Amino acid sequence: MADTTRLSPPDDASNAVSLPNQAAGADAEESSGVQSAGREQEPDQPIVEAPASAAPEATSSEEDTRPSRPATRQRRNDGPGFSAASAEPTLRPRRKKAGSPGPVQATVLQSFIKHRTERNWVTWSGRIEGETKARILDKADDDAASSKRNLMPGHYLDAALRKISELSPEELAALANEWLIETWSGEHPPGVSIQAGVSPDMYEFLKGLKRTMRGQRGAGSGGIILDVVSAAVDRFLDEVDGEGPFPSVR
């Protein structure tokens, strides 16, 4: 009975022999499970960093939430309250434009400009009716003060002569006779000497006036020349006076 008991090993012995294999299998499964878990955590594709130029796109949402930096200098037309009317006061006021001269004053201004730019005027020495000479001197002084231009009697004489320079001898004689009757009741007035600068073409007109008026009343003695010049200047000054003071240049 004792031997029989030794020869019959328990069933647990056979099971104990197979335990190392089962443990090894368990370790293998456990290690393979760790490796598979590690492979599952690896990314499918490598991560590529965005270039520096793309950085603002990535942070655009963050920049939208940031408070905007105040401008160092805000323009007047910035902001919701801007309107065209609100921008007008920022403009610098322009210098007031000088008034436009009248049509007759414009002819004086043309003579003034020609005198200043061409600088080839000639001094004419002649005779003119005394009151007409006083008028042209006073008019030049008054308009020079109001216009702030250096207007001189020669500018008015030149403009007056230019207005009649295209008339025929008969028309010039009629102008002189009409003025003579209205001003002096047909009497021939005494003349006074005058010197004034005129443009070269008007100087030639004055020099040739005696020849032009040949055959007209008083042409031989020169009286008609005094009457023509005096009538032209006196009538011209009437027209200039009708336009008021000469407008200022500034």
Side-chain angles (χ1 to χ4, degrees):
M1 294 293 293
D3 296 335
T4 305
T5 304
R6 278 194 308 268
L7 294 174
S8 58
D11 296 335
D12 295 337
S14 61
N15 295 334
V17 174
S18 61
L19 286 177
N21 295 331
Q22 294 177 354
D27 293 340
E29 291 178 358
E30 185 176 358
S31 61
S32 64
V34 172
Q35 293 177 358
S36 63
R39 286 194 299 269
E40 291 177 357
Q41 293 178 356
E42 293 179 358
D44 295 338
Q45 296 179 355
I47 299 175
V48 180
E49 295 183 358
S53 60
E57 297 180 359
T59 60
S60 59
S61 60
E62 296 180 359
E63 292 180 354
D64 295 341
T65 59
R66 293 179 184 176
S68 59
R69 180 180 298 179
T72 56
R73 182 180 179 183
Q74 188 174 7
R75 299 179 300 175
R76 189 176 181 85
N77 59 348
D78 290 341
F82 167 73
S83 65
S86 64
E88 289 180 358
T90 60
L91 300 176
R92 295 182 60 185
R94 294 183 178 180
R95 188 177 67 175
K96 185 178 179 180
K97 187 177 180 181
S100 299
V104 185
Q105 291 173 339
T107 62
V108 179
L109 185 58
Q110 291 175 0
S111 294
F112 169 79
I113 295 174
K114 286 175 64 69
H115 182 209
R116 296 293 297 270
T117 56
E118 296 177 0
R119 299 186 179 277
N120 59 350
W121 280 30
V122 186
T123 301
W124 174 72
S125 299
R127 297 182 67 80
I128 195 173
E129 190 264 333
E131 293 183 5
T132 304
K133 177 183 178 180
R135 284 193 68 188
I136 195 173
L137 295 178
D138 292 341
K139 186 60 177 175
D141 291 341
D142 294 342
D143 284 353
S146 64
S147 67
K148 297 180 176 59
R149 294 181 175 94
N150 190 23
L151 296 174
M152 296 185 291
H155 301 143
Y156 294 83
L157 177 61
D158 184 82
L161 295 174
R162 193 173 301 277
K163 189 173 182 179
I164 66 169
S165 60
E166 299 299 327
L167 297 180
S168 65
E170 293 76 17
E171 291 173 329
L172 292 174
L175 173 68
N177 291 332
E178 182 181 355
W179 172 83
L180 196 63
I181 293 172
E182 292 180 1
T183 308
W184 288 89
S185 300
E187 297 291 333
H188 186 70
V192 294
S193 61
I194 184 174
Q195 287 185 342
V198 293
S199 57
D201 52 344
M202 289 301 99
Y203 182 79
E204 293 299 325
F205 171 76
L206 288 169
K207 283 181 60 177
L209 193 57
K210 184 175 182 179
R211 182 177 62 254
T212 301
M213 298 302 295
R214 185 174 299 165
Q216 303 299 322
R217 186 254 330 149
S221 62
I224 188 66
I225 308 302
L226 185 149
D227 294 343
V228 169
V229 175
S230 299
V233 173
D234 200 44
R235 292 284 190 257
F236 184 80
L237 292 177
D238 289 342
E239 296 179 10
V240 176
D241 288 341
E243 293 180 348
F246 212 105
S248 175
V249 69
R250 56 184 179 274

